[in-house]
Amino acid sequence: MPKDHGIGASSKRREDIRFLTGRGRYTDDINLHGQAYVHFLRSDVAHGRLHKVDTSAAEGMPGVIRIFTGKDFEGVGGLPCGWQVTDRHGNPMQEPAHPVLAQGKVRHVGDPIAAVVAETAAEARNAAEAIVLDIEELPAVIDMKKAVQPDAPKVHDDLTSNLCYDWGFVEENKAAVDEAFARAAHVTTLELVNNRLSPNAMEPRVAVGDYNTGTDESTLYTTSQNPHVIRLLMGAFVLGIPEHKLRVVAPDVGGGFGSKIFHYAEEAFCTFAAKAIRRPVKWTASRSEAFITDAHGRDHVTKIELALDAENNFTAIRTETYANMGAYLSTFAPSVPTWLHGTLMAGNYRTPLIYVNVKAVFTNTVPVDAYRGAGRPEATFQLERLVDKAARELGVDPVDLRRQNFITQFPYATPVAVEYDTGDYNATMDKLLDMIDRDGFEARAAKSKANGKLRGLGINCYIEACGIAPSALVGQLGARAGLYESATVRVNATGGIVVMTGSHSHGQGHETSFAQVVADMIGVPEAQVEIVHGDTANTPMGMGTYGSRSIAVGGSAMVRATEKIIKKAKKIAAHLMEASEGDIELKDGQFTVAGTDKSVAWGDVTLAAYVPHNYPLTELEPGLEETAFYDPNNFTYPAGAYACEVEVDPETGKVTICSFAAADDFGNVINPMIVSGQVHGGLAQGIGQALLENVSYDENGQLLSASYMDYAMPRADDVPFYQVDHSCVTPCTHNPLGVKGCGEAGAIGSPPAVVNAVIDALHRGGMTHVAHIDMPLTPARVWSAMQG
């Protein structure tokens, strides 16, 4: 029977009570006494030399307190990049300065030039419109391949070129890979685009800076996925504020999908300006600003090749990718197309030789960084589209070709430097086939044909490396921060438990699932456990939430801290019952002496910890509070198999998704209902990428998809009712919970399933000339492909 509490139970999300009743507290809900407002004057050209910023007229307008320009930040550090990549020749990447406000040049539409601080948001906006700019517009470079040509306009004048780095991995494999292709019985080649996406979280970004003149302390309230990292980056590298004088608070946050990991100029500005004018300063992004300031995702152009022997075994893979960095290096941008992408190019398959080349390029566009999946969706899309194409060229069943090449022995060291500790890819494929009734597909296709539609079935696999760590490894790969997690467990005298975590919840359900873990370990009701997060003043240093790491890394830190609590509590219980510590057992909130009827309740032990009358203080200090930091030994590797059925209208090219099934192996599952919800959300985002979403620029760098009028987000009628299953379980072998992470899986595995299904439909309709269609598969693109 399903569990009704603790680990494995579908406990209802406790945080939803405040969200559904309108009692959440988001950053925009925070309004401080004496608060002023800021409006940023942003560049409306993609590339230009900034000759003059005339603020004289604006300064005298009603409500204006102060106007800031790049000159005010000449002695201030620029926004730092948190990851350094070394290229294939051993040279460090080119790393340009990223000023808080533009200095000398503007490099993308939306680059902030000046900031008006005024009594009201309307007054700040009105004054910004009165600022006179003298900008010499320069030729913009948008296309990545054109950007690396010798005669291309340079985004940054002080760099040698627009090439950030030329990365090869594993460089030592290159000659062997080339040789394997030379002797291959069959080679499949595919060129594709992984389209640029706008994250579009429900809550736009907000920042409120505050300064306390009495204590010389700064506070930033912000929509962040990792407040401790923002404090570290902004304090140490931008504004020079000691960490003990800087507090960062991320209250309820309405979604992030990666876009709220990064340190943004607006956060640094509000903190800086609050101290400069001695008043709180607030900025709330409009949706239009979000399109031109939030870090975008994906944007790769790739050529990928697969070599097979005469028995259809995979022998080698090689890829060449151009990855768009945009105008500046966002916080984790360099790692996404390299270490988060190249290391996953083995996929679920035992391919002995792999070589990945990535050229990261600066262009006059919004910076690009991690977006749900971050590198892994790009790798999966390339690989799974390629395997499907290979199956068609060879005339074999795409499922059979995958099964033939699956990794089946674990642990398995891939040729791209990671080791999968466990998995069962045949089990997830078997489960998927049980879910989708593949044998009945032909009958469904015939029914669609009778209705004038083409029906197709797309199947693919995925694997993800998540729970990013260990710190020692990622440090060698260029990370400029540790990637551990932390937890402090504080038990009150009456038995209530407060867990303070460095992880951050912005939709994942941490307040429910984390409480389930701690309550299960101790045997108390989940309501007795409170989860505290998001405030650097009262949580231990942690790296935040991204990369499906919260339960695997943050949850493991909680387990370790709770184990320390239980160990001390058993010592106290032993004193209370005059027994040996080794004989004490804890179950269902009750301490007992093994083999006897002696017992003492959890609450009695916790009270004794704070009122220590019954045990000697010489042996135990009072109190019951413990902290643990957890740095994992390896990534976790969730994997699965996905299937999509579509109908294509041959008259219009419109694609309708009829059904979608996802069979995932997430290791042990803490809360099945939350996991299913995470998969549902990821599938919607992946389907959005496959069929609808696309950030588009013209040749001058003007954003053509700058609002929901032009950027198509998936709606309820664009997605089907999903079948999801996570009953295939191979527990992670190296964390105490055996968990793997689930938050990004749906977005990783779904795009190739959709595209594979559309190509299958067209082939079944006789259009075998269509080998690939780039995402998004809009009706116009599909119809054009059908016409040849």
Side-chain angles (χ1 to χ4, degrees):
M1 290 184 62
K3 293 185 66 176
D4 60 1
H5 67 278
I7 293 174
S10 289
S11 298
K12 290 184 178 180
R13 292 184 9 150
R14 61 170 72 177
E15 50 267 70
D16 287 351
I17 295 173
R18 69 175 186 274
F19 297 150
L20 294 173
T21 58
R23 288 174 171 81
R25 187 172 185 257
Y26 297 87
T27 309
D28 195 49
D29 294 324
I30 296 171
N31 293 292
L32 305 178
H33 178 70
Q35 175 177 286
Y37 296 82
V38 60
H39 182 87
F40 291 94
L41 177 64
R42 302 182 182 277
S43 175
D44 60 0
V45 300
H47 195 198
R49 201 167 304 283
L50 194 56
H51 291 300
K52 188 176 182 181
V53 181
D54 184 353
T55 63
S56 56
E59 287 169 355
M61 292 185 66
V64 172
I65 300 168
R66 182 170 168 181
I67 300 176
F68 296 82
T69 66
K71 289 184 178 180
D72 295 292
F73 288 84
E74 287 178 352
V76 175
L79 304 184
C81 178
W83 201 296
Q84 182 184 70
V85 167
T86 301
D87 74 10
R88 55 196 294 256
H89 307 294
N91 300 314
M93 66 188 186
Q94 295 202 90
E95 190 171 354
H98 186 178
V100 174
L101 295 178
Q103 297 174 357
K105 282 180 75 174
V106 290
R107 296 180 175 89
H108 68 89
V109 171
D111 215 355
I113 297 171
V116 180
V117 179
E119 297 291 349
T120 69
E123 288 171 332
R125 183 172 58 251
N126 291 339
E129 293 175 356
I131 296 175
V132 179
L133 300 178
D134 181 2
I135 300 178
E136 174 193 351
E137 189 168 357
L138 302 172
V141 59
I142 307 303
D143 182 273
M144 286 181 281
K145 292 186 177 181
K146 291 180 180 178
V148 296
Q149 297 301 312
D151 59 347
K154 284 204 295 184
V155 178
H156 296 272
D157 297 339
D158 55 330
L159 302 187
T160 59
S161 70
N162 292 322
L163 185 66
C164 179
Y165 56 74
D166 182 358
W167 183 78
F169 186 68
V170 174
E171 194 67 25
E172 293 77 12
N173 287 354
K174 189 175 188 304
V177 168
D178 292 343
E179 183 181 346
F181 273 91
R183 63 171 186 265
H186 182 85
V187 174
T188 294
T189 302
L190 183 60
E191 296 189 39
L192 53 84
V193 172
N194 209 290
N195 42 321
R196 181 185 279 233
L197 304 174
S198 176
N200 291 327
M202 185 180 294
E203 178 196 22
R205 290 191 297 114
V206 185
V208 182
D210 191 21
Y211 177 70
N212 187 321
T213 57
T215 61
D216 188 33
E217 292 176 342
S218 295
T219 299
L220 171 68
Y221 301 90
T222 184
T223 45
S224 175
Q225 297 177 215
N226 50 0
H228 284 279
V229 174
I230 300 305
R231 182 180 67 164
L232 174 65
L233 293 177
M234 187 176 72
F237 298 102
V238 185
L239 302 181
I241 304 174
E243 283 188 85
H244 67 285
K245 291 292 186 180
L246 177 58
R247 176 188 179 197
V248 177
V249 182
D252 289 329
V253 172
F257 314 120
S259 71
K260 293 174 183 171
I261 300 171
F262 324 120
H263 177 37
Y264 288 95
E266 295 85 3
E267 294 169 321
F269 176 83
C270 288
T271 307
F272 178 88
K275 183 174 183 179
I277 70 168
R278 299 298 199 262
R279 289 176 60 177
V281 175
K282 182 174 186 177
W283 170 75
T284 300
S286 67
R287 188 59 72 178
S288 296
E289 277 185 295
F291 273 101
I292 56 174
T293 63
D294 292 3
H296 292 164
R298 318 287 191 242
D299 205 354
H300 289 188
V301 176
T302 297
K303 178 181 179 181
I304 181 169
E305 300 169 283
L306 172 65
L308 303 95
D309 64 18
E311 286 75 42
N312 296 340
N313 297 306
F314 300 171
T315 60
I317 292 170
R318 66 185 174 196
T319 77
E320 181 183 51
T321 289
Y322 287 82
N324 205 334
M325 294 288 100
Y328 303 100
L329 289 177
S330 180
T331 306
F332 291 119
S335 68
V336 175
T338 52
W339 300 111
L340 299 183
H341 159 246
T343 51
L344 266 293
M345 285 312 305
N348 307 67
Y349 310 110
R350 54 178 188 275
T351 310
L353 291 165
I354 299 174
Y355 178 71
V356 180
N357 175 246
V358 177
K359 295 175 177 64
V361 183
F362 292 111
T363 63
N364 294 116
T365 62
V366 172
V368 177
D369 208 322
Y371 173 73
R372 200 170 192 169
R376 288 90 87 199
E378 295 91 317
T380 298
F381 185 72
Q382 296 172 42
L383 188 57
E384 290 302 313
R385 282 293 299 120
L386 184 71
V387 172
D388 228 56
K389 186 169 185 277
R392 294 193 184 283
E393 292 174 351
L394 295 166
V396 300
D397 182 273
V399 172
D400 292 344
L401 182 62
R402 288 176 167 87
R403 285 192 189 274
Q404 177 180 334
N405 289 280
F406 274 163
I407 298 162
T408 55
Q409 298 294 319
F410 295 89
Y412 177 81
T414 76
V416 279
V418 293
E419 182 174 281
Y420 302 162
D421 63 322
T422 186
D424 190 340
Y425 311 143
N426 277 302
T428 50
M429 182 61 77
D430 290 343
K431 171 58 69 173
L432 179 77
L433 296 178
D434 288 344
M435 295 165 69
I436 67 171
D437 181 23
R438 195 183 189 200
D439 292 340
F441 174 78
E442 294 299 337
R444 296 192 294 275
K447 185 176 180 180
S448 294
K449 185 176 181 180
N451 292 326
K453 303 292 176 61
L454 305 175
R455 196 177 190 98
L457 172 63
I459 293 176
N460 62 267
C461 306
Y462 81 91
I463 187 168
E464 179 189 5
C466 56
I468 183 169
S471 294
L473 172 62
V474 297
Q476 294 172 22
L477 303 182
R480 288 165 168 164
L483 287 170
Y484 51 82
E485 201 43 77
S486 62
T488 295
V489 177
R490 176 182 298 158
V491 182
N492 299 316
T494 54
I497 303 164
V498 179
V499 180
M500 292 154 280
T501 173
S503 297
H504 183 274
S505 181
H506 44 281
Q508 294 85 354
H510 291 174
E511 294 173 33
T512 300
S513 55
F514 285 174
Q516 288 178 256
V517 171
V518 175
D520 193 88
M521 291 180 68
I522 296 172
V524 297
E526 293 164 20
Q528 205 164 320
V529 181
E530 179 187 0
I531 306 298
V532 176
H533 63 94
D535 187 341
T536 61
N538 57 23
T539 59
M541 176 69 177
M543 291 296 108
T545 294
Y546 42 84
S548 301
R549 70 192 304 269
S550 294
I551 195 64
V553 188
S556 294
M558 288 180 201
V559 169
R560 294 293 184 240
T562 304
E563 287 172 343
K564 292 181 181 181
I565 290 288
I566 293 172
K567 183 177 180 180
K568 183 175 180 180
K570 283 184 175 181
K571 291 179 184 289
I572 298 172
H575 280 289
L576 295 178
M577 293 186 286
E578 299 180 333
S580 171
E581 180 188 341
D583 293 334
I584 302 299
E585 297 175 347
L586 172 62
K587 185 178 180 181
D588 297 331
Q590 199 80 5
F591 294 92
T592 58
V593 180
T596 75
D597 59 358
K598 285 186 175 182
S599 68
V600 62
W602 168 255
D604 293 331
V605 171
T606 62
L607 182 62
Y610 290 94
V611 187
H613 297 162
N614 295 315
Y615 63 88
L617 287 174
T618 54
E619 293 188 28
L620 286 174
E621 62 185 26
L624 203 51
E625 180 174 323
E626 299 288 349
T627 296
F629 285 76
Y630 179 78
D631 201 339
N633 296 323
N634 193 358
F635 299 91
T636 68
Y637 299 97
Y642 286 9
C644 177
E645 279 193 29
V646 302
E647 280 189 337
V648 179
D649 185 338
E651 297 296 323
T652 65
K654 178 175 171 56
V655 176
T656 301
I657 297 181
C658 305
S659 64
F660 203 109
D664 296 290
D665 175 5
F666 295 133
N668 294 333
V669 171
I670 304 301
N671 186 312
M673 180 175 63
I674 287 177
V675 168
S676 294
Q678 286 285 299
V679 175
H680 285 189
L683 292 176
Q685 285 188 267
I687 290 169
Q689 176 175 9
L691 295 181
L692 301 164
E693 298 183 49
N694 190 42
V695 171
S696 178
Y697 286 91
D698 70 12
E699 66 277 6
N700 297 314
Q702 293 296 327
L703 186 60
L704 301 177
S705 51
S707 75
Y708 291 143
M709 293 291 289
D710 301 295
Y711 188 91
M713 293 278 283
R715 298 180 297 185
D717 60 354
D718 293 311
V719 297
F721 285 96
Y722 310 113
Q723 294 183 73
V724 300
D725 178 272
H726 30 80
S727 63
C728 299
V729 176
T730 58
C732 176
T733 61
H734 56 78
N735 67 52
L737 290 167
V739 294
K740 294 185 179 181
C742 69
E744 299 164 296
I748 293 170
S750 54
V754 175
V755 179
N756 287 347
V758 172
I759 300 300
D760 183 61
L762 300 189
H763 277 240
R764 289 173 181 274
M767 285 160 274
T768 56
H769 64 279
V770 183
H772 177 72
I773 306 172
D774 279 326
M775 301 185 290
L777 274 65
T778 60
R781 286 188 178 184
V782 175
W783 186 89
S784 295
M786 289 190 292
Q787 310 313 308

